[in-house]
Amino acid sequence: MNLDELYQEVILDHYKRPRGAGLRDPYEGESHQVNPTCGDEITLRVHVDGDKVADISYENVGCSISKASASVMYELINGVSVEEALAKTAEFTALMNSKGQGKADEESLEDAIAFEGVSKYPMRVKCALLGWMAFKDALVRAEAATPAGGND
């Protein structure tokens, strides 16, 4: 099995068995995003506890790339610090915007490296980034909803 086939298997696995799917409470921030070019949609909730992403939950409809990317995102950033989650989001976004020229750091991005080839196809990049953009938006909304001084 070559690397491209392995990456396809990772994407199919996450598509068929999405991690973190289903909207859950509690949450501080929620975002609904739509990719108008293909009709993919996601509603994502984020629960922040102090400086930690305590939970991410989502419901999405769309293509295998969009659904698998949200599942991979959940595995990568659920339970980590907000700072680390934002760093991984920025790293994945940079990879997706590399037009096929970027090389993913497997240690940092884990299964998200499977999307490296997607960056060659601009129409698919939007699919892969949909959940990640929803996460960033939900996080901003969560921070706006949290009283000054945090969750004390």
Side-chain angles (χ1 to χ4, degrees):
M1 179 179 284
N2 71 31
L3 202 53
D4 286 339
E5 289 171 335
L6 178 63
Y7 287 169
Q8 287 175 354
E9 287 295 318
V10 168
I11 290 171
L12 281 175
D13 178 52
H14 279 274
Y15 170 67
K16 291 177 182 177
R17 289 176 284 288
R19 284 61 153 185
L23 293 174
R24 292 181 292 281
D25 291 323
Y27 66 95
E28 291 75 36
E30 180 178 88
S31 178
H32 181 79
Q33 300 290 315
V34 177
N35 181 350
T37 59
C38 67
D40 292 350
E41 292 187 43
I42 188 168
T43 299
L44 183 140
R45 292 177 176 172
V46 64
H47 171 49
V48 179
D49 186 6
D51 68 344
K52 182 179 173 184
V53 178
D55 190 32
I56 299 169
S57 63
Y58 62 91
E59 283 184 353
N60 59 352
V61 293
C63 69
S64 60
I65 298 291
S66 175
K67 292 183 99 171
S69 183
S71 174
V72 166
M73 177 193 64
Y74 170 83
E75 283 198 328
L76 267 179
I77 63 178
N78 193 60
V80 304
S81 71
V82 170
E83 183 178 344
E84 184 179 351
L86 288 172
K88 287 185 184 291
T89 301
E91 188 176 355
F92 184 77
T93 302
L95 177 66
M96 289 297 94
N97 290 322
S98 73
K99 299 180 180 173
Q101 303 303 308
K103 287 293 175 200
D105 178 356
E106 185 175 358
E107 190 173 311
S108 176
L109 287 181
E110 301 174 21
D111 279 355
I113 65 169
F115 295 88
E116 195 172 80
V118 172
S119 70
K120 298 175 191 172
Y121 306 99
M123 295 300 289
R124 305 305 285 175
V125 166
K126 290 179 182 179
C127 300
L129 286 174
L130 189 65
W132 297 79
M133 297 304 101
F135 167 71
K136 284 176 52 177
D137 184 50
L139 189 59
V140 167
R141 292 169 187 260
E143 290 173 349
T146 303
N151 296 340
D152 293 330

